[in-house]
Each structure stands twice: as C-alpha cells, then as structure tokens.
Amino acid sequence: MSPTPDELRIRKALEEIETPMYDIAGAVGEQRARRTRRMPWRSPQRLLSAVLAAILLTATAAAVMQLSGGWQTIFGQYVVVPDDLAIPLQTGQTINGCTLTLEDAIITQSGAAVIYSFRREDGRPIGGSIRCGEVELLTDGSDESGGACGQSVYSDESANVQYYYQEFDLTNDPGDRALTLSVGPASRSESTGPLTAEIDLAAFYRSHPLTFSSDEVDEARAAAYAEQDCASAALPQADEFPGVGFAGVGFLDGELCLALTTPPDDPYQGVSADIVSVYDTRTGQNILNSSGSSYGASGLPYSLHEGRFPGLSEDDLPYLRPVITYTRSIPVTDRLWTFTFRAESAKSYTRALDLSSADGVRINTITVSPLGVQLGGTRPASGSMDGALPEIALVLRGGDTIGARVSGSTAFSEAGAPEEDFSASYEYLGVQHSRRFLDTEEVAAVRINNTTISIRE
C-alpha cells in the first residue's frame, strides 16, 4: 500500500533531522531506567491521564519497534526473526530525491546483517530494479569485514519500494562500537528483449575446437576463447552497445559453452550482455541457459560472460543461434548513503575442532551465531567451490532438531596441491524451507554428518 501524503510529509520531516549516531544501547538503558521509577498517584484525573499516556506510549513504542517488512519480502512469509534479536533502526537519508532507509540490523559477536530499503522521496513507483552500489560496514572507522553477501527483491506488486539484505563476517566483536554502513551510489538497469544473433557457431568451432576441463582457471579459459578469433561475428544492435562482442564456442563436461566479451564490469554506468538461450532452427524452440558465469583475466581489457547449455553436441551447432539480452546501467544518485549507529551484539559460539570424515574432509573450526553456522577446514582439492561439504543440523535446548543448508563456500589451494582450505556457511531452516534466525543460547548441539558437537558456555 502506497503511503499517504501525510505519511510522506512526516517521513520527510523525520529524515531531515540530523542524527549522526543512534546509541541504541543507551536509549534502551534509559528507557528501562524510566520504567523502574515509581510516581505517586494524587487524583483519579491524574490516574486517568497516566493510563492514557501509558496507552499512547505503548502504541508509539509498538509502532517504532515493529520490524521491517523487508524480512518477509526477501525471505518469505515464514521467515523467523526473534523479537529480541533484530534491532529496529528506521533511519533514512535522501539523496537526489531517493531515500534509503536503514531499517533493521542483527549484530552478533562474529558478524552483522542489515535490512535497508530504497524509495523515491515523492512516493512514485521506482520504475524497475535498483542496484545500490558497493556496500561496506566499518567498525570504529576501519574495515574489519571478512566478506559480505547479500540479496534484494523488487516486484511489480510493491513497485514503490525495493528491499535489500546484506550480511557481513566480522573479525572482531562489533558490540557497542561505532558501526558505519555505506551504500551506493544507486543505478537502475535497462534491458533489451531477447535478440537472436545470426552466428555460424559450427564454423567458429571447426576453425579452432575448444574443450575445457573443470579444473581450468579463468585465465586459461579466457586465453582459449581469444585464440578462436570471433571478431567477425555480428551481434544484433552492436552499435548501441559498444564493447560487446562474441567471444567463442566450446564444450565443458558435455555442456555447450557460449561466451561474450563485455567492457569491464561497471554496475554504475556500464553495459553488459548475456546469452540467455539458444534458438534451435529445427524445432523452433529456445533452449535456456542452465548456468552462467562472469569472469575476467589479468591483462585483458574486457570481461567474459559465459552461458552453458546441457544436452547439445557438435552435431547440433549448425542449427543453433545464440539469443542475447543487453543491459545498460543508468546512474540514479551521485553519492553514497552513510549511517552510523551502535548496538549490543548477540552471543556467538566459536571453538576449535579436530573432526575428519570418510571423504577426506577435516573440520578445524566452528562458529555458531544467530545468522548461521560457519565451518572451516581442509578437503581434497576439487577445483570447485561446491566440493565435498558436511551436512549440518542443530539440536535445540528444548529437544527439537532443525536443519541447515549451505549458503556459501570458498576454497583456496596452491596449484597442484592435493588439499585445499575451505570455509562454508550454513543458514538455519524454518518451516517450508524458509530462513530462520536463531538466538545462539537456544542451541544445545550441532550435528556435523554423524557427529554431535555440544555447545557449552
């Protein structure tokens, strides 16, 4: 539901109030102190006034403390966020007629998560998905983030707001320290419809056949595409999107690979392109891209956007035509939004392990926090981020067991080494596979494959 003119006026007035830092811990402490004071009652009229004031205070506090609707928008209606875990911030700033609101945060001893939203100041529909640039979280003015991941949701049903969720790993406890979140600047994307390219894939492949291996690094793949020399391939509307070209055709593990060259990634005011499908002239059907990747190589003035198509072979190439979409980023704001606040951190649990499994995975660290579980260790070098990872479940203090799923992983190894270091993140599962956030004190144990690790104070 769109805000009323009065709501917009009130919101604008609130956003123009300069509040350089919001001390949540201090405000909560002051409020608790006020609640402990006793006041004498002198008359029924004063009693009635106090009751009415209490009702108004309760209603106001409920409105202020209500969590953002972004949780349900991003994670679905069954998301679980404990009331005492998420911190309502609800502070906004307006730049170039666009308001970014830092809505809620979960601060833990090992990480942080924030929900923020983008709206136009006048309440008009956004007009398409907005990308809010680089996101950074500083602690006492320094970058102590070990990595970040995020997601956003925009839909035509809620066309006047876009919500974003961002999660940070932190190397030190951020509790009651000055946290500064910077976001942006913002841009919007315009994409063309699917355009069919009349490219003779078979001819380019025959001139220089490419067969990639799964353990091949990006630089090697980029160099191989460059040797195929596809400069003569004509793309539709190429004059409107300079720097985009056809890179080549090859095969990887039985999948057809098609790639484009694009200018270096510039999400603020750049152009990019993707091969979203291939058109089969025999059947009139489009075969969709099963997976895609974007990567660059040192020394090359472009990036590669690659799409993969299973179930196709060299014999199919004469009948296939790439289908391309172009995307252009258009600036919306010209500078960053920044928010500084303080908050107490929820407890995390970290300990060293010495746990091995039959598939050669060894786990040496575990961290359990309200945002999820992180494991670190070594495993046989796989050449893939999705190599062997343990299965995780949690036993709650009440006896219930909940599941967890991998939400991200990284791996590092030296060339030719038989093992690699890995780190894997897991998020808690709620009903119907929705996401759950969890107070660590509710966790009694973590099951890693068939081993149970007790969580003790």
Side-chain angles (χ1 to χ4, degrees):
M1 182 172 65
S2 299
T4 65
D6 285 341
E7 290 173 333
L8 289 172
R9 178 177 52 80
I10 293 170
R11 180 189 301 165
K12 182 178 180 181
L14 290 173
E15 291 167 351
E16 290 175 350
I17 299 175
E18 296 185 2
T19 55
M21 183 176 297
Y22 178 35
D23 187 351
I24 296 171
V28 172
E30 182 181 352
Q31 182 65 22
R32 287 174 176 169
R34 289 177 179 174
R35 290 177 182 173
T36 62
R37 299 172 189 166
R38 300 185 64 184
M39 296 183 64
W41 304 108
R42 295 184 178 177
S43 67
Q45 290 81 3
R46 184 164 185 173
L47 176 61
L48 177 60
S49 298
V51 171
L52 292 174
I55 293 173
L56 179 59
L57 177 61
T58 301
T60 304
V64 171
M65 297 300 288
Q66 184 177 2
L67 294 181
S68 167
W71 298 100
Q72 288 76 26
T73 301
I74 291 177
F75 299 112
Q77 61 176 322
Y78 297 108
V79 64
V80 178
V81 186
D83 292 338
D84 58 350
L85 185 60
I87 303 165
L89 298 174
Q90 300 176 2
T91 178
Q93 295 176 3
T94 300
I95 296 175
N96 301 132
C98 301
T99 300
L100 199 78
T101 302
L102 175 56
E103 305 210 353
D104 299 336
I106 296 177
I107 306 301
T108 79
Q109 292 175 325
S110 58
V114 294
I115 289 272
Y116 53 95
S117 63
F118 177 95
R119 293 176 174 85
R120 293 194 182 277
E121 184 182 18
D122 56 11
R124 290 186 297 113
I126 293 173
S129 180
I130 298 292
R131 187 187 188 281
C132 284
E134 185 176 355
V135 183
E136 185 178 49
L137 184 67
L138 301 181
T139 306
D140 289 337
S142 64
D143 185 4
E144 298 182 2
S145 171
C149 62
Q151 60 196 96
S152 68
V153 170
Y154 169 82
S155 67
D156 292 335
E157 289 76 15
S158 301
N160 65 332
V161 59
Q162 182 167 342
Y163 288 103
Y164 306 79
Y165 172 83
Q166 197 77 27
E167 201 169 289
F168 302 88
D169 295 330
L170 299 176
T171 55
N172 294 296
D173 185 352
D176 204 25
R177 300 167 67 185
L179 298 174
T180 301
L181 178 75
S182 62
V183 181
S187 61
R188 63 183 176 87
S189 297
E190 288 186 352
S191 297
T192 66
L195 303 168
T196 302
E198 295 297 329
I199 297 176
D200 189 344
L201 299 178
F204 285 114
Y205 183 76
R206 286 194 301 267
S207 68
H208 189 80
L210 296 178
T211 302
F212 306 115
S213 60
S214 58
D215 59 351
E216 201 164 24
V217 297
D218 292 346
E219 283 78 4
R221 296 260 291 282
Y225 277 126
E227 290 180 4
Q228 203 168 59
D229 189 14
C230 298
S232 61
L235 297 181
Q237 298 185 12
D239 54 336
E240 299 178 33
F241 298 90
V244 179
F246 184 66
V249 51
F251 290 91
L252 170 63
D253 294 337
E255 291 186 324
L256 171 64
C257 299
L258 301 177
L260 299 173
T261 58
T262 67
D265 289 338
D266 182 356
Y268 184 58
Q269 52 185 358
V271 298
S272 63
D274 293 284
I275 300 177
V276 295
S277 66
V278 289
Y279 175 70
D280 191 330
T281 59
R282 297 166 296 185
T283 64
Q285 294 181 335
N286 277 295
I287 302 168
L288 297 179
N289 181 346
S290 65
S291 64
S293 60
S294 176
Y295 55 91
S298 58
L300 293 179
Y302 55 80
S303 297
L304 285 170
H305 287 240
E306 184 183 69
R308 298 182 186 178
F309 305 87
L312 297 172
S313 67
E314 181 182 354
D315 294 337
D316 299 306
L317 293 179
Y319 311 100
L320 303 178
R321 301 292 181 268
V323 179
I324 298 169
T325 59
Y326 297 97
T327 301
R328 178 184 286 111
S329 297
I330 302 172
V332 174
T333 61
D334 57 11
R335 61 189 185 277
L336 301 173
W337 291 275
T338 58
F339 305 89
T340 299
F341 62 99
R342 292 180 183 269
E344 294 182 359
S345 55
K347 187 174 182 179
S348 297
Y349 173 87
T350 300
R351 62 170 287 188
L353 295 177
D354 185 8
L355 185 63
S356 299
S357 61
D359 53 8
V361 176
R362 294 199 301 270
I363 301 170
N364 52 41
T365 62
I366 180 173
T367 296
V368 181
S369 85
L371 304 180
V373 175
Q374 286 190 321
L375 299 180
T378 62
R379 66 185 181 188
S382 62
S384 169
M385 296 299 181
D386 301 321
L389 294 173
E391 294 184 358
I392 295 291
L394 285 89
V395 182
L396 305 185
R397 295 197 182 277
D400 292 338
T401 299
I402 64 172
R405 63 186 165 209
V406 175
S407 56
S409 65
T410 57
F412 307 93
S413 65
E414 297 181 2
E419 288 187 334
E420 61 188 10
D421 296 326
F422 80 92
S423 175
S425 301
Y426 299 76
E427 57 188 29
Y428 308 127
L429 290 178
V431 297
Q432 298 197 14
H433 295 279
S434 62
R435 182 156 185 188
R436 178 173 181 171
F437 297 86
L438 186 65
D439 193 323
T440 306
E441 295 182 356
E442 294 185 40
V443 181
V446 179
R447 289 178 184 164
I448 305 175
N449 292 331
N450 296 320
T451 302
T452 300
I453 308 296
S454 296
I455 305 298
R456 298 186 177 91
E457 297 295 334

